[in-house]
Amino acid sequence: MVDIHYLIGIVLLLVRSHKLLLTANTFVVLVMQYGFIILFGLAFPLAPLLALINNIFEIRTDAMKMLKFIRRPVAQRAKDIGVWFSIMMIVTKIAVATSAVIIAFSTNLIPKMVYRLTTHDDTLKGYLNFTLAYFNTKDFLIPPVLGDSKYGEVTTCRYTEFRNPPDDTHPYKRPMVYWKIFMARLAFIVIYQNVIGIIQTVIAWAIPDVSAKLVKRIKRENFLLREYIIEYEKRQVMMEQAEGIADLLEVLQDDGDT
């Protein structure tokens, strides 16, 4: 015969594991959304707005689900969100690094800055020519078949790259300006990460996880709890002493009667 208490324990364990699984799935969805936004937000700037709209609707649908369609969950104390906070911090640090790399190597921000500093041309009129390299069509390994094209007589073409011209002593090699831009990009990555780290530190200091009022209330509750425990122990000791004195008096009274 199967023990009924054993079956009840199995059912409770399954229910609890199901609740934990639902909680884990919820955190997985939120962390994935957070990761996609901060990792690829530069590629799709509209993503944070869409995520905000999605979360607003999801909050309302979850509220309706919890109030009307499922049993009210049992509240449990938790200090924080546990390991998910560490996961989000790791994702944030990775996102800062990837954002710095994307800005440095996938945009024209750094080349334009180097161009302004080297040429003192704030109008950027010559920036396009600055980014184009020369190529002699005689240097084609396989000559293109142009036929009767009007470009058949072209001897020089331009392409987007930082290379030495064909008449240089080191043709088609990297010029010094390329390495200046490369070092500027690396410097930008380092500066960007440090600036974001400082901003995060300032925000974390200005907006604590626990408010000052709540900290005071927690300290007061702990103080009152300690006072209650001390008072309770005092009463217990006094009761034990009173019982001991009463027992001693009874013994003395019995001895006097005898």
Side-chain angles (χ1 to χ4, degrees):
M1 184 176 180
V2 180
D3 189 1
I4 187 65
H5 297 288
Y6 176 76
L7 292 178
I8 293 174
I10 294 295
V11 171
L12 293 176
L13 181 62
L14 291 175
V15 171
R16 184 177 180 182
S17 62
H18 179 65
K19 291 180 180 179
L20 293 176
L21 183 61
L22 289 177
T23 304
N25 289 336
T26 302
F27 275 111
V28 166
V29 172
L30 293 176
V31 171
M32 286 181 62
Q33 184 187 81
Y34 175 75
F36 278 123
I37 290 172
I38 63 174
L39 286 172
F40 308 109
L42 289 175
F44 185 50
L46 197 60
L49 177 61
L50 297 178
L52 175 62
I53 296 173
N54 172 76
N55 290 338
I56 291 174
F57 281 100
E58 189 171 356
I59 288 172
R60 302 315 306 167
T61 54
D62 288 345
M64 185 181 299
K65 178 178 65 176
M66 295 177 66
L67 292 174
K68 294 185 177 181
F69 300 105
I70 65 174
R71 186 176 180 180
R72 179 183 296 178
V74 179
Q76 296 181 356
R77 284 191 174 186
K79 183 179 180 181
D80 49 29
I81 60 176
V83 70
W84 296 105
F85 180 77
S86 301
I87 294 173
M88 295 178 73
M89 288 298 297
I90 293 172
V91 173
T92 302
K93 294 182 182 299
I94 296 174
V96 172
T98 56
S99 299
V101 172
I102 290 173
I103 295 173
F105 288 93
S106 299
T107 65
N108 293 323
L109 176 65
I110 306 302
K112 286 182 179 180
M113 292 175 60
V114 174
Y115 173 77
R116 288 192 180 98
L117 292 175
T118 54
T119 63
H120 304 287
D121 180 14
D122 295 332
T123 62
L124 297 177
K125 290 183 178 180
Y127 175 72
L128 180 60
N129 185 64
F130 173 75
T131 59
L132 297 177
Y134 290 90
F135 182 78
N136 194 332
T137 56
K138 295 180 180 180
D139 296 328
F140 275 120
L141 297 179
I142 301 176
V145 179
L146 300 177
D148 297 332
S149 174
K150 63 180 180 179
Y151 299 106
E153 301 298 328
V154 174
T155 59
T156 303
C157 61
R158 308 292 299 275
Y159 61 100
T160 305
E161 186 59 274
F162 293 99
R163 297 280 182 176
N164 289 327
D167 56 351
D168 193 84
T169 55
H170 301 285
Y172 307 122
K173 299 295 183 180
R174 295 291 187 183
M176 183 57 64
V177 67
Y178 169 82
W179 298 110
K180 290 181 180 179
I181 294 174
F182 183 77
M183 295 303 297
R185 283 170 170 165
L186 296 181
F188 172 81
I189 292 173
V190 175
I191 295 172
Y192 182 87
Q193 289 182 320
N194 284 278
V195 170
I196 296 299
I198 293 172
I199 293 174
Q200 289 177 342
T201 304
V202 172
I203 293 175
W205 171 79
I207 307 175
D209 295 335
V210 182
S211 63
K213 291 183 179 179
L214 183 58
V215 171
K216 290 181 180 179
R217 290 184 61 182
I218 293 173
K219 289 182 178 179
R220 178 168 177 78
E221 288 180 358
N222 292 333
F223 172 76
L224 294 176
L225 179 61
R226 288 195 298 268
E227 290 293 323
Y228 175 78
I229 293 173
I230 293 172
E231 190 66 25
Y232 176 78
E233 291 179 350
K234 285 182 179 179
R235 288 199 300 267
Q236 290 294 112
V237 171
M238 292 176 64
M239 290 176 61
E240 291 177 358
Q241 290 178 351
E243 291 177 357
I245 293 173
D247 294 339
L248 181 60
L249 291 175
E250 289 181 0
V251 172
L252 293 176
Q253 186 177 2
D254 293 340
D255 292 341
D257 293 338
T258 56

